[in-house]
Structure formats: C-alpha cells, structure tokens
Amino acid sequence: MATMTEGPVTALPSLSNEEIARYSRHLLLPEVGMEGQQKLKAARVLCVGTGGLGSPMAFYLAAAGIGTLGLVDFDVVDSSNLQRQIIHSTKDVGRLKIDSAEEKLLALNPYMKIVKYNTLLSSANALEIFKDFDIVADGTDNFPTRYLVNDACVLSGKPNVYGSIFRFEGQASIFATEEGPCYRCLYPEPPPPGLVPSCAEGGVLGILPGLVGVMQATEVIKLILGQGEPLIGRLLLVDSLNMRFRELKLRKNPDCPACGTHPTVTELIDYEQFCGIPPAVQPGAALINGVPQISVTEFKQQRDAGKDYFLLDVREPHEFKIANLGGYLIPLGEIQKRVSELDTSREIVVHCKMGGRSQQAAEALQKLGFKKVQNLAGGIQAWSEKVDPAVPRY
Ligand code: ZN
C-alpha cells in the first residue's frame, strides 16, 4: 500500500472534464480531493466473486471511480441468485455472471476498465491473477476459496478486504496487511467436512450482503486514499435481525500457519477435500465415509418396483413446507434424541436438500447401530432435477 499512497502526484492519471463533473462530490471532500480521485483512478482492485457481496462491492467501486476492476467468477446467473445479487437481472438468468456484471458496471461508469476472469479461483491460478492488482476484495461464499484468497494475499503481500455472511449475520475485516492479522490468525484451519452448512443450505437475508459488501467497498476506498482508520486488526460483526454492530479486536498470531513467524503455508493448496462441501458434489460415489449412496433415479426405480423404504427427511420444518417427498421429518439436530421414532423393520433412506446434512445423519445413525442406512445423493434438489420437476427447487 505504501507505494500507492506515497507515490509522486505526477505519476497519477489526470481526470477529463467529464470525470471531474462526475466525481465532483468526491472532489469537494478534502479527504479525497483531486489527488484522491486520481489515486482511485490509478487503483486496480480485484473482486473475487460477483455474487451477493461482489454485486454491491463492484457497483460502488465502479461508481466511485476505481480505474481497473477485476472480476473473478465461473458461475452463471441462476434465478435463486436474484434475491440478493443485485448486479444481475431477470433477463441475465443463464448468462455468465462476469458478463452480466461487466454490462451493468460499464453502463454505470464507462471511464473504467473491467478485466474478466471466467474461472474458478484455484491454487494454480490465484497468484497469477492477483499479481496485476493492488487490493483483493473477497466476496466468496465458501471456505475453500476464502482460505485460498487469504493465503494468496499473504504470499503476494496484498491486502485482503474480507466479508462473509450467513443467515442474518455478517462479518468484515481487512486481513493480510503487513501490520495486521490474516484470516488464519483467527481461524487457523478450515472446518471439517460437512460441519458448516453452505449458503444454499443455510439461507441468507437478501439485504445482508448489501450491507457487508458496501462496508468492504468503503474499506477498499479508504485503503487507496490512505484516509481514516481501516478495519485492520478489527473484526466487525453485524447482526441484521437485531440491527446490532459489534467489534472484536484481532491480533496477529505469531503461530499463524500463514503469516506467523514460522509459516507452514508456503504455497497454495486447494481445500475442497477439507471443507464443508456436501457429498452432493461428488456424483457417482458408491460409499462416502462408510455410508452407501443411492441416486435419486435408483431410489425411484426401487420404490416403483415395490421396495418399501423408510424415507427420513432431516431438513428443517420450514423447508419441509416448501417441498417434500412424503418422508418422515426429523431435523438433523434432533436425530440423536428421536431415534426411537424410526421404523427399524425397513431399510432407511435419509435425505435433505442437497445430500450434505443427510450424510451426517446417516453417519450418526450408523454409529448408533443402524445397519441398513443409505444417503439419497443430491437430496430433494436432485429429485426435482432428475425425477420430478413438479417438486419446487429452493
Ligand atoms: Zn495470520
């Protein structure tokens, strides 16, 4: 950052009269002014993800006059994204997110450059992509990418402007600066598989990423301007349900595996194998952690052929109301104390939304001595896709 805030003024790009008019409300702020606006124009910011957090982040960074904005995303717009990913519209469903985002950003501000990376960020490409940017803003929604972004920021010495959201709660901070802690100072290792529900399983209030993404954009702008007190060494916690903000002090951990005095993370790795990826994303596996997997088509065939399974649904009651397969509902958290309700005379097939929670439930039942338990791979989502499209997807 030092090079950006202390560089000679003459090296900064000049603003056209159109740009001066556009940014006049910034130019009137002594903390921004002409030089600050030129710094914004010179800045190169990478948005990892163009989803819930990336949408407001990229929108406001574009409006503010960031000169070069990189966008990384491999996904296409899905109708279930539109409740929160406001850079995309109904007509964009099925389009690449980076194309949809680019169109909106250039419509807002044609005086900027968009660099698109239509790829899944990985250990193989992260450092190569990061090298052309000054600041990385993390808008990812999963642990593998979050650890990857953090480690790549530590290794390349770029600030990681972090945000995350879950249900009604959000977090923001700035990691991986020279003086401050990194994400691994806080959480040294990724959580074990299946422990953390994904956004798709856990749900999120659509407005929340707007709140957190805008805080991230604010911190990016402040870092570029070198103004104010950045969120370095502070974790801001937002509880939108009760509208409370809290702040935790964070310290650099000398034993941190990434930025500590004897780091063990000296190159990038991919974390899929460690993280909360539901077994649903491993199609075709016959056995996961000792639990037999049954596909939705196979399950349908066997049921049609007269096999009488006990279908156990381990989702939450509010999900059951959205769509169900006529299973017996016991939410995952209540399995242990309600096993007596299970019909042990029949083979049990466990299902949830996508196959992650039901895998956990099946493993728990095996430990409790149930021998004939199978996991419905892909859950009710796969059922809707492959067997009965009349079952709504959510
Ligand atoms: Zn660290």
Side-chain angles (χ1 to χ4, degrees), residues 284-342:
L287 208 64
I288 294 174
N289 282 349
V291 175
Q293 309 289 309
I294 183 165
S295 73
V296 287
T297 43
E298 198 182 335
F299 179 60
K300 165 98 168 49
Q301 281 162 9
Q302 298 200 7
R303 245 193 0 181
D304 288 351
K307 182 145 183 176
D308 188 21
Y309 286 107
F310 181 82
L311 181 62
L312 174 64
D313 183 342
V314 296
R315 298 173 303 150
E316 299 298 316
H318 62 270
E319 296 179 84
F320 192 87
K321 280 186 195 155
I322 302 169
N324 68 76
L325 303 177
Y328 188 87
L329 181 68
I330 304 181
L332 177 61
E334 298 174 18
I335 291 285
Q336 302 276 352
K337 61 174 193 273
R338 292 177 60 185
V339 281
S340 61
E341 296 171 34
L342 300 177

Coordinates of all heavy atoms in Angstrom, one line a residue, residues 284-342:
G284 N -21.8 -40.0 -8.2 CA -21.4 -41.3 -8.6 C -20.6 -42.1 -7.5 O -20.4 -43.3 -7.7
A285 N -20.3 -41.4 -6.4 CA -19.6 -42.2 -5.3 C -20.5 -43.2 -4.7 O -21.7 -42.9 -4.4 CB -19.1 -41.3 -4.3
A286 N -20.1 -44.5 -4.6 CA -21.0 -45.5 -4.0 C -21.0 -45.5 -2.5 O -22.0 -45.8 -1.9 CB -20.5 -46.9 -4.5
L287 N -19.9 -45.0 -1.9 CA -19.8 -45.1 -0.5 C -19.0 -43.8 0.0 O -18.0 -43.5 -0.6 CB -18.9 -46.3 -0.2 CG -19.1 -47.0 1.2 CD1 -20.5 -47.6 1.3 CD2 -18.1 -48.1 1.4
I288 N -19.6 -43.1 0.9 CA -18.9 -41.9 1.5 C -18.8 -42.1 3.0 O -19.9 -42.2 3.6 CB -19.6 -40.6 1.1 CG1 -19.5 -40.4 -0.4 CG2 -18.9 -39.4 1.8 CD1 -20.2 -39.2 -1.0
N289 N -17.6 -42.1 3.5 CA -17.4 -42.4 5.0 C -18.2 -43.6 5.4 O -18.8 -43.6 6.5 CB -17.9 -41.1 5.8 CG -16.8 -40.0 5.7 OD1 -15.7 -40.3 5.2 ND2 -17.2 -38.9 6.2
G290 N -18.2 -44.6 4.6 CA -18.9 -45.8 5.0 C -20.4 -45.9 4.8 O -21.1 -46.9 5.1
V291 N -21.0 -44.8 4.3 CA -22.4 -44.7 4.1 C -22.7 -44.9 2.6 O -22.3 -44.2 1.7 CB -23.0 -43.3 4.5 CG1 -24.5 -43.2 4.1 CG2 -22.8 -43.1 6.0
P292 N -23.5 -46.0 2.3 CA -23.9 -46.2 0.9 C -24.7 -45.1 0.3 O -25.6 -44.6 1.0 CB -24.7 -47.5 0.9 CG -24.5 -48.1 2.3 CD -24.1 -47.0 3.2
Q293 N -24.4 -44.7 -0.9 CA -25.2 -43.6 -1.5 C -26.1 -44.2 -2.6 O -25.8 -45.1 -3.3 CB -24.2 -42.7 -2.3 CG -23.0 -42.2 -1.4 CD -23.4 -41.2 -0.4 OE1 -24.1 -40.2 -0.7 NE2 -23.1 -41.5 0.9
I294 N -27.4 -43.7 -2.5 CA -28.3 -44.1 -3.5 C -28.7 -42.9 -4.4 O -29.0 -41.9 -3.8 CB -29.5 -44.8 -2.9 CG1 -30.5 -45.4 -3.9 CG2 -30.3 -43.9 -1.9 CD1 -31.5 -46.4 -3.4
S295 N -28.7 -43.1 -5.7 CA -29.1 -42.0 -6.6 C -30.6 -41.8 -6.6 O -31.3 -42.8 -6.3 CB -28.6 -42.2 -8.0 OG -29.3 -43.2 -8.6
V296 N -31.0 -40.6 -7.0 CA -32.5 -40.4 -7.0 C -33.2 -41.3 -8.0 O -34.3 -41.8 -7.7 CB -32.8 -38.9 -7.3 CG1 -32.5 -38.0 -6.0 CG2 -32.1 -38.4 -8.5
T297 N -32.6 -41.6 -9.1 CA -33.2 -42.4 -10.1 C -33.3 -43.9 -9.7 O -34.3 -44.5 -9.9 CB -32.4 -42.3 -11.5 OG1 -31.0 -42.4 -11.2 CG2 -32.7 -41.0 -12.2
E298 N -32.2 -44.3 -9.0 CA -32.2 -45.7 -8.5 C -33.3 -45.8 -7.4 O -34.0 -46.8 -7.3 CB -30.8 -45.9 -7.9 CG -30.5 -47.3 -7.7 CD -29.1 -47.4 -7.0 OE1 -28.3 -46.5 -7.2 OE2 -28.8 -48.4 -6.3
F299 N -33.4 -44.8 -6.5 CA -34.3 -44.8 -5.5 C -35.8 -44.9 -6.0 O -36.6 -45.6 -5.6 CB -34.2 -43.6 -4.6 CG -35.1 -43.5 -3.5 CD1 -35.2 -44.4 -2.5 CD2 -36.0 -42.4 -3.4 CE1 -36.1 -44.3 -1.4 CE2 -36.9 -42.2 -2.3 CZ -37.0 -43.2 -1.4
K300 N -36.0 -44.1 -7.1 CA -37.3 -44.0 -7.7 C -37.7 -45.4 -8.3 O -38.8 -45.9 -8.1 CB -37.3 -43.0 -8.8 CG -38.4 -43.0 -9.9 CD -39.5 -42.0 -9.5 CE -40.5 -41.8 -10.6 NZ -41.2 -42.9 -11.2
Q301 N -36.7 -46.0 -9.0 CA -36.9 -47.3 -9.6 C -37.3 -48.4 -8.6 O -38.2 -49.1 -8.7 CB -35.7 -47.8 -10.4 CG -35.5 -47.2 -11.7 CD -34.0 -47.3 -12.3 OE1 -33.2 -48.0 -11.7 NE2 -33.7 -46.6 -13.3
Q302 N -36.5 -48.4 -7.5 CA -36.7 -49.4 -6.5 C -38.1 -49.2 -5.8 O -38.7 -50.1 -5.4 CB -35.6 -49.4 -5.5 CG -34.3 -49.7 -6.2 CD -33.2 -50.2 -5.2 OE1 -33.5 -50.4 -4.0 NE2 -32.0 -50.4 -5.6
R303 N -38.4 -48.0 -5.5 CA -39.7 -47.7 -4.9 C -40.8 -48.1 -5.8 O -41.8 -48.7 -5.4 CB -39.8 -46.2 -4.5 CG -39.9 -46.1 -3.0 CD -40.2 -44.9 -2.3 NE -40.6 -43.7 -3.1 CZ -40.9 -42.5 -2.5 NH1 -40.9 -42.5 -1.2 NH2 -41.2 -41.5 -3.2
D304 N -40.7 -47.7 -7.1 CA -41.7 -48.1 -8.1 C -41.9 -49.6 -8.2 O -42.9 -50.1 -8.5 CB -41.4 -47.5 -9.5 CG -41.6 -46.0 -9.5 OD1 -42.1 -45.5 -8.5 OD2 -41.2 -45.4 -10.5
A305 N -40.7 -50.3 -8.0 CA -40.7 -51.8 -8.1 C -41.3 -52.4 -6.8 O -41.3 -53.6 -6.7 CB -39.3 -52.3 -8.3
G306 N -41.7 -51.6 -5.9 CA -42.4 -52.1 -4.7 C -41.5 -52.2 -3.4 O -42.0 -52.7 -2.4
K307 N -40.3 -51.8 -3.5 CA -39.4 -51.8 -2.3 C -39.9 -50.8 -1.3 O -40.1 -49.6 -1.6 CB -38.0 -51.6 -2.6 CG -37.1 -51.7 -1.5 CD -35.7 -52.3 -1.8 CE -34.9 -52.4 -0.5 NZ -33.7 -53.1 -0.7
D308 N -40.1 -51.2 -0.1 CA -40.7 -50.3 0.9 C -39.6 -49.7 1.9 O -39.2 -50.3 2.9 CB -41.7 -51.1 1.8 CG -42.5 -50.2 2.7 OD1 -42.6 -48.9 2.4 OD2 -43.1 -50.7 3.7
Y309 N -39.1 -48.5 1.5 CA -38.1 -47.9 2.3 C -38.8 -47.0 3.4 O -39.9 -46.5 3.2 CB -37.3 -46.9 1.5 CG -36.3 -47.6 0.5 CD1 -36.5 -47.6 -0.8 CD2 -35.1 -48.1 1.0 CE1 -35.6 -48.2 -1.7 CE2 -34.2 -48.7 0.2 CZ -34.4 -48.7 -1.2 OH -33.5 -49.3 -2.0
F310 N -38.0 -46.8 4.5 CA -38.4 -45.7 5.4 C -37.6 -44.5 5.0 O -36.4 -44.4 5.1 CB -38.1 -46.1 6.9 CG -38.5 -45.1 7.9 CD1 -39.8 -45.0 8.4 CD2 -37.5 -44.2 8.4 CE1 -40.1 -44.1 9.3 CE2 -37.9 -43.2 9.3 CZ -39.2 -43.2 9.8
L311 N -38.4 -43.5 4.5 CA -37.7 -42.3 4.0 C -37.6 -41.2 5.1 O -38.7 -40.8 5.6 CB -38.4 -41.7 2.8 CG -37.8 -40.4 2.1 CD1 -36.4 -40.7 1.6 CD2 -38.7 -39.9 1.0
L312 N -36.4 -40.9 5.5 CA -36.2 -40.0 6.6 C -35.7 -38.6 6.1 O -34.7 -38.6 5.4 CB -35.2 -40.6 7.6 CG -34.7 -39.6 8.7 CD1 -35.9 -39.3 9.7 CD2 -33.6 -40.3 9.5
D313 N -36.5 -37.6 6.3 CA -36.2 -36.2 5.9 C -35.6 -35.5 7.1 O -36.2 -35.3 8.1 CB -37.5 -35.6 5.4 CG -37.3 -34.2 4.8 OD1 -36.2 -33.6 5.1 OD2 -38.2 -33.7 4.1
V314 N -34.3 -35.1 6.9 CA -33.6 -34.4 8.1 C -33.5 -32.9 7.9 O -32.7 -32.2 8.6 CB -32.2 -35.0 8.3 CG1 -32.4 -36.5 8.8 CG2 -31.3 -34.9 7.1
R315 N -34.3 -32.3 7.1 CA -34.3 -30.9 6.9 C -35.1 -30.2 8.0 O -35.6 -30.9 8.9 CB -34.9 -30.5 5.5 CG -34.1 -31.1 4.3 CD -34.8 -30.8 3.0 NE -36.1 -31.4 3.1 CZ -37.2 -30.9 2.4 NH1 -37.1 -29.9 1.6 NH2 -38.4 -31.5 2.5
E316 N -35.2 -28.9 7.9 CA -36.0 -28.1 8.9 C -37.5 -28.1 8.5 O -37.8 -28.1 7.3 CB -35.4 -26.7 9.1 CG -33.9 -26.7 9.5 CD -33.7 -27.3 10.9 OE1 -34.5 -27.0 11.8 OE2 -32.8 -28.1 11.0
P317 N -38.3 -27.9 9.5 CA -39.8 -27.9 9.2 C -40.2 -26.8 8.2 O -41.0 -27.0 7.3 CB -40.4 -27.5 10.6 CG -39.5 -28.0 11.6 CD -38.1 -27.8 11.0
H318 N -39.5 -25.6 8.2 CA -39.9 -24.6 7.2 C -39.5 -25.0 5.8 O -40.1 -24.6 4.8 CB -39.3 -23.2 7.5 CG -37.8 -23.2 7.6 ND1 -37.0 -23.4 8.7 CD2 -36.9 -22.9 6.6 CE1 -35.8 -23.3 8.4 NE2 -35.6 -23.0 7.2
E319 N -38.4 -25.9 5.6 CA -38.1 -26.4 4.3 C -39.1 -27.5 3.9 O -39.4 -27.6 2.7 CB -36.7 -27.0 4.4 CG -35.5 -26.1 4.7 CD -34.2 -26.8 4.8 OE1 -33.6 -27.0 3.7 OE2 -33.8 -27.2 5.9
F320 N -39.5 -28.3 4.8 CA -40.5 -29.3 4.5 C -41.7 -28.7 4.0 O -42.4 -29.2 3.0 CB -40.8 -30.1 5.8 CG -41.6 -31.3 5.7 CD1 -40.9 -32.5 5.4 CD2 -43.0 -31.3 5.7 CE1 -41.6 -33.7 5.2 CE2 -43.7 -32.5 5.6 CZ -43.0 -33.7 5.3
K321 N -42.1 -27.5 4.5 CA -43.3 -26.8 4.0 C -43.1 -26.3 2.5 O -44.1 -26.2 1.8 CB -43.6 -25.6 4.8 CG -44.3 -26.0 6.1 CD -44.8 -24.7 6.9 CE -45.1 -25.1 8.3 NZ -45.0 -24.0 9.2
I322 N -41.9 -26.0 2.1 CA -41.7 -25.6 0.7 C -41.9 -26.7 -0.2 O -42.5 -26.6 -1.3 CB -40.2 -25.0 0.6 CG1 -40.0 -23.9 1.6 CG2 -40.0 -24.6 -0.9 CD1 -38.5 -23.4 1.6
A323 N -41.3 -27.9 0.1 CA -41.4 -29.1 -0.8 C -41.0 -30.3 0.0 O -40.1 -30.2 0.9 CB -40.4 -28.9 -1.9
N324 N -41.7 -31.4 -0.2 CA -41.2 -32.6 0.5 C -41.6 -33.8 -0.4 O -42.4 -33.8 -1.3 CB -41.9 -32.7 1.9 CG -43.4 -33.0 1.8 OD1 -43.8 -34.0 1.5 ND2 -44.1 -31.9 2.1
L325 N -40.9 -35.0 -0.1 CA -41.1 -36.2 -0.8 C -42.0 -37.2 0.0 O -41.9 -38.4 -0.2 CB -39.8 -36.8 -1.1 CG -38.8 -35.9 -1.9 CD1 -37.5 -36.7 -2.1 CD2 -39.4 -35.5 -3.3
G326 N -42.7 -36.7 1.0 CA -43.5 -37.5 1.8 C -42.7 -38.3 2.8 O -43.2 -39.3 3.4
G327 N -41.5 -37.8 3.1 CA -40.7 -38.5 4.1 C -41.1 -38.2 5.5 O -42.0 -37.3 5.8
Y328 N -40.5 -38.9 6.5 CA -40.7 -38.7 7.9 C -39.7 -37.6 8.4 O -38.5 -37.8 8.2 CB -40.6 -40.0 8.7 CG -41.0 -39.9 10.1 CD1 -42.3 -40.1 10.5 CD2 -40.1 -39.6 11.1 CE1 -42.7 -40.1 11.8 CE2 -40.5 -39.5 12.5 CZ -41.8 -39.7 12.8 OH -42.2 -39.7 14.1
L329 N -40.2 -36.5 8.9 CA -39.4 -35.4 9.2 C -38.8 -35.4 10.6 O -39.5 -35.4 11.6 CB -40.2 -34.1 9.0 CG -39.4 -32.8 9.3 CD1 -38.3 -32.6 8.2 CD2 -40.3 -31.6 9.3
I330 N -37.5 -35.5 10.7 CA -36.8 -35.3 12.0 C -35.5 -34.4 11.6 O -34.6 -34.9 11.0 CB -36.3 -36.6 12.6 CG1 -37.4 -37.6 12.9 CG2 -35.6 -36.3 14.0 CD1 -37.0 -38.9 13.5
P331 N -35.5 -33.1 12.0 CA -34.4 -32.3 11.7 C -33.1 -32.8 12.2 O -33.1 -33.5 13.3 CB -34.7 -30.9 12.4 CG -36.2 -30.9 12.5 CD -36.6 -32.4 12.7
L332 N -32.0 -32.6 11.5 CA -30.7 -33.2 11.8 C -30.3 -33.0 13.3 O -29.9 -34.0 13.9 CB -29.6 -32.5 10.9 CG -28.2 -32.9 11.2 CD1 -28.0 -34.4 10.9 CD2 -27.2 -32.1 10.3
G333 N -30.6 -31.9 13.8 CA -30.2 -31.6 15.2 C -31.0 -32.4 16.2 O -30.6 -32.4 17.4
E334 N -32.1 -33.1 15.8 CA -32.9 -33.8 16.8 C -32.8 -35.3 16.6 O -33.5 -36.1 17.3 CB -34.4 -33.4 16.6 CG -34.6 -31.9 16.9 CD -36.1 -31.5 16.6 OE1 -37.0 -32.4 16.5 OE2 -36.3 -30.3 16.5
I335 N -31.9 -35.8 15.7 CA -31.8 -37.2 15.4 C -31.5 -38.0 16.6 O -32.2 -39.0 16.9 CB -30.7 -37.4 14.3 CG1 -31.2 -36.9 12.9 CG2 -30.4 -38.9 14.2 CD1 -32.2 -37.7 12.2
Q336 N -30.5 -37.6 17.3 CA -30.0 -38.4 18.5 C -31.1 -38.7 19.5 O -31.3 -39.9 19.9 CB -28.9 -37.7 19.2 CG -27.7 -37.3 18.4 CD -26.7 -38.5 18.2 OE1 -26.8 -39.5 18.9 NE2 -25.7 -38.3 17.3
K337 N -31.9 -37.7 19.8 CA -32.9 -37.9 20.8 C -34.2 -38.5 20.3 O -35.1 -38.8 21.1 CB -33.1 -36.6 21.7 CG -33.6 -35.5 20.9 CD -34.0 -34.3 21.9 CE -34.8 -33.2 21.3 NZ -34.0 -32.2 20.6
R338 N -34.4 -38.6 19.0 CA -35.6 -39.1 18.4 C -35.5 -40.4 17.7 O -36.4 -40.8 16.9 CB -36.3 -38.0 17.6 CG -36.7 -36.8 18.4 CD -37.3 -35.7 17.5 NE -38.5 -36.1 16.7 CZ -39.1 -35.4 15.8 NH1 -38.6 -34.1 15.6 NH2 -40.1 -35.8 15.2
V339 N -34.4 -41.2 17.9 CA -34.1 -42.4 17.1 C -35.2 -43.4 17.3 O -35.5 -44.2 16.4 CB -32.8 -43.1 17.4 CG1 -31.7 -42.4 16.7 CG2 -32.5 -43.1 18.9
S340 N -35.9 -43.3 18.5 CA -36.9 -44.3 18.8 C -38.1 -44.2 17.8 O -38.9 -45.2 17.6 CB -37.4 -44.2 20.2 OG -38.0 -42.9 20.3
E341 N -38.2 -43.1 17.1 CA -39.3 -42.9 16.1 C -39.1 -43.6 14.8 O -40.0 -43.7 14.0 CB -39.6 -41.4 15.9 CG -40.0 -40.7 17.1 CD -40.0 -39.1 16.9 OE1 -40.4 -38.7 15.8 OE2 -39.7 -38.4 17.9
L342 N -37.8 -44.1 14.6 CA -37.5 -44.7 13.3 C -38.1 -46.1 13.2 O -38.1 -46.8 14.2 CB -36.0 -44.7 13.1 CG -35.3 -43.3 13.1 CD1 -33.8 -43.5 13.0 CD2 -35.8 -42.5 12.0

